[in-house]
Amino acid sequence: MIMQGQWWDTDIEQLNLRPAPICDAYLINGLAGDSYPCSENRMFKLKVIQGKTYLLRIINAALNTHLFFKIADHNVTVVSVDAAYTTPYGSDVMILTPGQTVDALLTADQPIGMYYMSIIPYLSASSLAPAPPRKVINSLIVYKGATSTTSPSRSLMPSQINSVSTAHRFSSNITSLVGGPYWTLVPRHVDEKMFVTMGLGLEQCPSETKCAGPSGQRITGSLSNRTFLMPGTISLQEAYFYNISGVYTDDFPDQPPIKFDYANFRVHTDSEKKMIFPERKTSVKTLKYNSTVEIVVQNTGIITTESHPMHLHGFNFYVLGYGFGNYVPARDAKKLNLVNPQMHNTVGVPPGGWVALRFIANNPGAWIFHCHMDAHLPYGIIMAFIVENGPTPETSLQPPPSNLPQCTHDPTIYESPTTNVGLSY
């Protein structure tokens, strides 16, 4: 297992600042390797035997950063993403979004020696905060028989920290393994079609507080111009199960409030100006059990374009297609892959682009759909689906356990004007 991560030398509460502080190091299996003087002699080493093939289970456990992954002088064959089998895909570099997993086959087919296995951050946003140092974080592939005096072969990483083309090439080339375990046909009939804009915005900076966003405001985020407010005293699931009113509204829109040039945002009208300051609301979309839902998630250029890893709880979804610029149904719908699309539970939306998803709502209950960067949860890049019960007890939501802990509401945790901490979980 290859576990990628981030490390901060700071109080954990500081990670809720907007924007979050830059991490002090990136890690491979808990070690920062020779890129840092304090850890140059502490590096993860994977020992291999020439000619053998190994299954690497790679996990991006970093909180806030997409990561490129590469092994010097070796290609790998991707066989699974997010625990769903893929058509075997050979690549020399991979991109993993926060929380994403890749299974890949590595064949030790090079001369006996040592080879760097490396990661480097992928930052797709224009600068809202200082960028982290461009350090390649190294671990080692060590062939049996290699001497300790051998100089490792270095990984040739993407030349730009915002190498959008490299990230897109890897992500868009993955397809499902047709006929493989757990493979299913893509549903052709769609019951619910949604077009959801996603990105950053601003909210008024609390009085007597210094905020780091543009024009001295506080950075926020939204889906279809709604910043999600997490309920403070009861969960969505309980509110739905017990039919408690006043906790959420069942009005998340199928379309954004206005149409505009999403990927190239410019303020031309008062309505477009209002898009900079999204509405704060606990808003959900209710779905019939077993309905098929299609969502086109459109990245916007409000504040900045950025690749956001969108994650759906409770379901896998088909990724039907990616694109850059604005999604145009008449042009782009015919390009969607309905034959062997990749299946994910987390997908990176291209910066200034879109991704089309489809899933079957066959899991009753309340499920959130949100950006998987931890720093963006307080921003409110979240919405929720409530899937109604099916026709049988087995397809219906079960009551909560009798020992379920009760929520408590602490205003200083959810909205602190002194620390600029947003929603906390």
Side-chain angles (χ1 to χ4, degrees):
M1 180 178 291
I2 309 299
M3 182 79 73
Q4 307 167 349
Q6 288 177 279
W7 180 79
W8 285 264
D9 184 17
T10 189
D11 189 297
I12 193 171
E13 287 295 330
Q14 297 299 306
L15 301 188
N16 285 316
L17 295 177
R18 304 189 192 180
I22 298 168
C23 68
D24 294 281
Y26 294 93
L27 310 173
I28 299 177
N29 282 9
L31 301 174
D34 59 359
S35 296
Y36 297 87
C38 62
S39 64
E40 58 187 350
N41 295 319
R42 301 186 66 221
M43 187 184 309
F44 172 71
K45 297 177 182 179
L46 176 64
K47 297 179 180 180
V48 300
I49 298 173
Q50 190 180 46
K52 289 197 172 184
T53 298
Y54 299 82
L55 176 64
L56 305 182
R57 299 186 181 276
I58 307 158
I59 303 170
N60 182 351
L63 291 182
N64 297 325
T65 307
H66 303 52
L67 292 167
F68 287 115
F69 174 89
K70 187 177 174 69
I71 301 173
D73 300 338
H74 291 73
N75 284 357
V76 297
T77 301
V78 176
V79 294
S80 171
V81 177
D82 284 348
Y85 288 103
T86 66
T87 305
Y89 174 64
S91 181
D92 65 333
V93 65
M94 290 184 276
I95 181 76
L96 285 86
T97 70
Q100 199 162 50
T101 66
V102 171
D103 289 354
L105 299 174
L106 166 68
T107 299
D109 57 3
Q110 295 300 304
I112 291 174
M114 294 192 293
Y115 300 83
Y116 276 126
M117 179 167 57
S118 308
I119 61 174
I120 195 168
Y122 165 55
L123 302 178
S124 59
S126 58
S127 181
L128 290 175
R134 184 172 165 76
K135 286 187 176 181
V136 177
I137 312 307
N138 294 317
S139 58
L140 280 174
I141 301 289
V142 181
Y143 278 65
K144 184 178 181 179
T147 64
S148 58
T149 58
T150 302
S151 296
S153 180
R154 291 192 172 274
S155 304
L156 184 62
M157 302 300 286
S159 59
Q160 300 295 324
I161 202 167
N162 63 342
S163 185
V164 175
S165 60
T166 303
H168 180 68
R169 181 172 65 251
F170 176 80
S171 299
S172 61
N173 275 306
I174 302 296
T175 56
S176 287
L177 181 62
V178 175
Y182 310 109
W183 174 80
T184 57
L185 286 167
V186 181
R188 298 304 180 97
H189 174 76
V190 176
D191 301 292
E192 301 276 359
K193 284 197 172 186
M194 303 177 68
F195 181 81
V196 177
T197 53
M198 174 272 297
L200 301 180
L202 299 175
E203 64 182 19
Q204 297 294 333
C205 188
S207 60
E208 301 181 2
T209 302
K210 185 177 180 180
C211 294
S215 304
Q217 304 302 319
R218 184 159 65 179
I219 298 172
T220 190
S222 69
L223 293 173
S224 290
N225 213 42
R226 301 259 177 111
T227 297
F228 193 82
L229 292 181
M230 193 68 71
T233 58
I234 191 171
S235 70
L236 285 176
Q237 188 94 311
E238 290 176 279
Y240 165 61
F241 185 84
Y242 292 116
N243 196 27
I244 299 172
S245 61
V247 178
Y248 62 85
T249 57
D250 179 20
D251 61 354
F252 189 86
D254 290 338
Q255 299 287 326
I258 66 169
K259 294 182 179 180
F260 58 96
D261 187 354
Y262 308 110
N264 304 284
F265 180 75
R266 299 290 185 275
V267 175
H268 299 294
T269 66
D270 288 341
S271 295
E272 289 174 334
K273 185 176 181 180
K274 290 180 181 178
M275 298 296 291
I276 300 174
F277 293 88
E279 181 182 10
R280 296 166 59 82
K281 198 171 185 181
T282 308
S283 182
V284 308
K285 166 78 174 177
T286 298
L287 302 171
K288 296 290 186 184
Y289 179 81
N290 225 30
S291 59
T292 297
V293 185
E294 182 175 293
I295 314 171
V296 175
V297 184
Q298 172 70 60
N299 202 317
T300 71
I302 301 174
I303 310 302
T304 181
T305 59
E306 181 176 8
S307 177
H308 294 269
M310 295 303 294
H311 174 66
L312 178 60
H313 288 211
F315 305 92
N316 279 356
F317 48 73
Y318 301 93
V319 182
L320 305 182
Y322 301 83
F324 290 95
N326 296 324
Y327 178 80
V328 179
R331 178 194 65 201
D332 297 320
K334 64 183 71 174
K335 302 177 184 176
L336 300 182
N337 180 1
L338 301 176
V339 177
N340 62 346
Q342 55 192 268
M343 292 197 71
H344 286 328
N345 57 53
T346 305
V347 64
V349 184
W354 54 268
V355 63
L357 316 174
R358 193 175 290 184
F359 71 97
I360 300 173
N362 55 7
N363 194 1
W367 305 103
I368 63 172
F369 181 50
H370 66 99
C371 179
H372 223 216
M373 287 197 279
D374 191 73
H376 288 183
L377 288 173
Y379 290 12
I381 307 179
I382 307 170
M383 60 85 62
F385 292 104
I386 288 182
V387 179
E388 296 179 339
N389 287 337
T392 66
E394 291 75 18
T395 59
S396 298
L397 184 63
Q398 300 301 302
S402 58
N403 62 345
L404 180 71
Q406 297 300 302
C407 293
T408 57
H409 180 56
D410 181 352
T412 64
I413 293 176
Y414 284 84
E415 201 65 53
S416 172
T418 56
T419 63
N420 231 5
V421 176
L423 297 170
S424 183
Y425 307 94

